Amino acid sequence: MTNRLDPPEPWLDFLRWQSEQTRATCRYLARRCALRRGILLDLACGRGHVSEKLLQTRPELRLVGLDHDLNILPAPGNGLLPVCGGAEALPFADATVDFVLFHFSLMWVDPRSALAEARRVLKPGGKLLLCAEPDYAGMIVEPDPGDSKPMIMRLARGIERVGGDPYLGRKLPRLLDEAGFRLEDYGLGSRPSLYRREDWPSLERVFRFRSYFHPRSGPRWRANLKRLLRKQTYLEYLPVFYALAER
């Protein structure tokens, strides 16, 4: 029997923060696709923060949360059934779920395989909700807290180094078309953020994981940005795309 280990609290804190940032987009997509009765499959669900919020207003939903990391999956209960598995080889029969949800997760897998699997398990007419996928090529920071190379360049290369696609957001319409989905809605769900000195605790939460992408330069960014905020404001904008598609 595999033992469950508690994941690091900073990582759980980061997942909670991500779900808070996209709450309005997730609610919009839920209304747009008339998310009511049926089975919702939350892929790479983490702790289930996103689907948990949807369940609060739609108690008739049946939630299945899938993640490859057993240690981060929530315990069964509160209306959510946890399943350990990967998005590229789903352990479900064909045409068995009504809704499939991705949230900052398609960028970390082979998108063609994952979308093919999502389409396979969806019922005809089922909906695919892509709540948040970023595109770091369009990121704006002012001023840049990087050192010898811009922070954005280092972030993108770091994501690629650990197997992610930092430019996935712009590719969603083409990938969905190639996978056989009918695109119903596509747009941007993010807004610029302006940070001041008193916002440092919130910003530091994100930088803990940018240090993960760049273990050598990350601590320098953190120090640079902390010094910067003592004197002026800091602007950051990351384009985060959403999409709604039908099987």
Side-chain angles (χ1 to χ4, degrees):
M1 180 176 178
T2 304
N3 294 322
R4 285 175 57 93
L5 302 172
D6 289 334
E9 182 56 35
W11 175 238
L12 297 182
D13 186 45
F14 181 68
L15 294 179
R16 281 191 292 269
W17 177 84
Q18 275 195 330
S19 69
E20 292 164 6
Q21 301 306 301
T22 59
R23 185 178 302 175
T25 301
C26 294
R27 287 178 175 172
Y28 166 74
L29 290 176
R31 292 193 303 270
R32 183 77 168 73
C33 71
L35 185 65
R36 291 298 178 203
R37 296 185 182 278
I39 299 174
L40 170 67
L41 174 59
D42 185 354
L43 295 180
C45 67
R47 267 296 199 253
H49 295 117
V50 175
S51 48
E52 180 185 74
K53 295 294 184 185
L54 294 176
L55 187 61
Q56 290 175 0
T57 57
R58 295 165 175 81
E60 65 274 21
L61 273 176
R62 295 167 59 194
L63 297 181
V64 178
L66 180 137
D67 202 287
H68 74 282
D69 188 348
L70 177 66
N71 298 319
I72 209 168
L73 275 168
N78 298 320
L80 188 143
L81 173 66
V83 176
C84 189
E88 295 155 290
L90 296 175
F92 306 108
D94 297 357
T96 51
V97 303
D98 301 278
F99 307 96
V100 171
L101 182 149
F102 285 93
H103 182 269
F104 281 116
S105 51
L106 193 61
M107 65 179 290
W108 295 109
V109 297
D110 175 6
R112 290 177 175 82
S113 297
L115 290 175
E117 279 292 274
R119 191 175 188 278
R120 178 183 67 79
V121 301
L122 274 170
K123 298 175 183 177
K127 305 291 185 178
L128 176 68
L129 293 79
L130 294 161
C131 297
E133 296 296 341
D135 191 325
Y136 280 81
M139 188 175 183
I140 300 170
V141 296
E142 178 58 39
D144 194 315
D147 39 38
S148 60
K149 291 185 179 180
M151 185 185 76
I152 300 167
M153 181 186 302
R154 288 189 181 273
L155 276 174
R157 289 182 178 176
I159 291 169
E160 290 175 328
R161 191 161 53 241
V162 294
D165 183 349
Y167 313 116
L168 188 71
R170 73 176 72 178
K171 302 174 185 176
L172 290 179
R174 173 174 56 82
L175 290 170
L176 290 168
D177 182 64
E178 291 172 356
F181 284 95
R182 183 174 69 84
L183 183 64
E184 295 187 339
D185 201 345
Y186 175 66
L188 281 168
S190 55
R191 300 176 60 185
S193 297
L194 192 63
Y195 295 96
R196 297 174 176 84
R197 185 172 185 169
E198 59 269 24
D199 299 316
W200 171 247
S202 175
L203 193 57
E204 186 179 32
R205 178 190 297 175
V206 185
F207 260 76
R208 288 174 184 170
F209 293 93
R210 292 184 179 170
S211 297
Y212 164 72
F213 294 133
H214 302 278
R216 287 176 295 185
S217 58
R220 291 199 299 272
W221 298 345
R222 180 185 178 279
N224 292 346
L225 186 53
K226 193 170 185 179
R227 281 195 300 270
L228 185 155
L229 283 176
R230 291 174 187 156
K231 301 177 181 179
Q232 63 186 101
T233 57
Y234 168 69
L235 171 71
E236 183 170 300
Y237 174 65
L238 174 63
V240 178
F241 290 85
Y242 66 82
L244 177 65
E246 183 179 84
R247 184 202 188 285

